[in-house]
Amino acid sequence: MVDIRAEQRVLWNILLKIEPRFDKKNYDVKILYSILGWVWRIDSWNVLKLDYSKGLFLYGDIGRGKSMTLMLLRDYLKDVRTRHKEYCKSEYRFGTEWMSASMIANRYAADGLPGLDKFLKHDCCLFVDELGREPNPASNYGTKMNVLQFLMQIRYDNRYSCVTHATTNLPLCEIETVYGKYIADRFLEMFNFIEFKGKSLRRP
């Protein structure tokens, strides 16, 4: 059985490496507890009642710590994979492929569909930062495509063998406008939605 208090300290130390000036007074710490609960499938820590089979969709105001939180989950999962190899053998959720939405779209523009192969694999658990800020459509030698719409459709089809996480500044009501009604509907089966509200945490 995992020592969840020890894991909490590991998570906190990783967070301080990502953001040394982190101030938990201005951050919803229920999110941190729930990340631990989600990783270890411990309901008593999963304050936000996250679905263990779904990824995290972090949305809301600029500068509230969405990307930082996603980096924290990514780096913590890397750490867990090193220290708890036996546990991770049965956990398809522990992949750590990271890419911004713009970089994914630009990869299609440069290399076409083969440039997306890595993100379409069944065992690729993907972290997509800044969904909605990518060039849309992206063009590869004149062939235009809404790249993230296509990618999310494929990942939806493979959702039982991989997990997708994402951040966005888009209001949820605009997801359908950017990616289409059918993708917006599929997001409900792919993601736990966590809203970040309030003033920016960034300091001058």
Side-chain angles (χ1 to χ4, degrees):
M1 187 68 179
V2 66
D3 182 344
I4 194 66
R5 293 291 179 182
E7 294 300 322
Q8 182 185 20
R9 291 191 292 271
V10 171
L11 186 74
W12 182 255
N13 288 334
I14 291 173
L15 175 57
L16 292 179
K17 288 180 181 179
I18 295 171
E19 182 47 72
R21 297 192 297 172
F22 177 77
D23 183 358
K24 64 181 178 182
K25 291 185 295 185
N26 296 316
Y27 183 89
D28 188 350
V29 294
K30 294 194 298 292
I31 295 172
L32 300 183
Y33 295 142
S34 295
I35 284 176
L36 281 172
W38 183 88
V39 169
W40 297 105
R41 300 178 183 266
I42 298 176
D43 293 344
S44 60
W45 281 71
N46 186 3
V47 183
L48 298 179
K49 308 301 181 187
L50 304 176
D51 187 319
Y52 300 125
S53 67
K54 298 178 181 180
L56 307 187
F57 190 92
L58 312 181
Y59 70 100
D61 297 330
I62 293 172
R64 285 299 302 168
K66 298 183 297 297
S67 293
M68 178 194 72
T69 302
L70 205 62
M71 287 182 199
L72 173 63
L73 176 59
R74 175 198 63 184
D75 291 354
Y76 179 63
L77 289 179
K78 286 182 179 179
D79 187 85
V80 169
R81 288 175 68 183
T82 300
R83 295 182 294 110
H84 298 277
K85 294 179 181 179
E86 287 303 313
Y87 178 74
C88 295
K89 283 181 180 179
S90 60
E91 272 294 350
Y92 68 91
R93 304 173 303 148
F94 281 15
T96 55
E97 193 67 52
W98 174 283
M99 189 74 66
S100 73
S102 292
M103 291 173 69
I104 292 172
N106 289 336
R107 182 162 292 190
Y108 168 77
D111 301 324
L113 287 177
L116 304 179
D117 283 349
K118 178 168 60 174
F119 311 120
L120 303 178
K121 293 179 180 178
H122 288 248
D123 60 351
C124 171
C125 293
L126 180 63
F127 293 72
V128 181
D129 196 26
E130 298 186 331
L131 188 70
R133 293 192 64 185
E134 72 277 5
N136 183 23
S139 179
N140 174 255
Y141 295 100
T143 302
K144 296 182 179 181
M145 185 169 71
N146 186 329
V147 176
L148 271 297
Q149 180 192 66
F150 169 76
L151 179 65
M152 290 298 177
Q153 175 61 54
I154 300 300
R155 295 192 64 80
Y156 169 82
D157 293 341
N158 295 332
R159 66 193 180 281
Y160 297 120
S161 60
C162 67
V163 168
T164 307
H165 307 284
T167 71
T168 187
N169 292 324
L170 289 175
L172 290 183
C173 61
E174 292 186 19
I175 295 295
E176 182 175 324
T177 302
V178 176
Y179 299 111
K181 184 175 182 179
Y182 69 97
I183 291 296
D185 185 62
R186 282 156 174 74
F187 274 13
L188 298 175
E189 294 185 69
M190 293 175 66
F191 294 113
N192 294 288
F193 293 89
I194 303 176
E195 185 176 9
F196 286 65
K197 297 184 289 185
K199 295 181 180 179
S200 175
L201 298 177
R202 295 193 178 104
R203 304 177 187 178

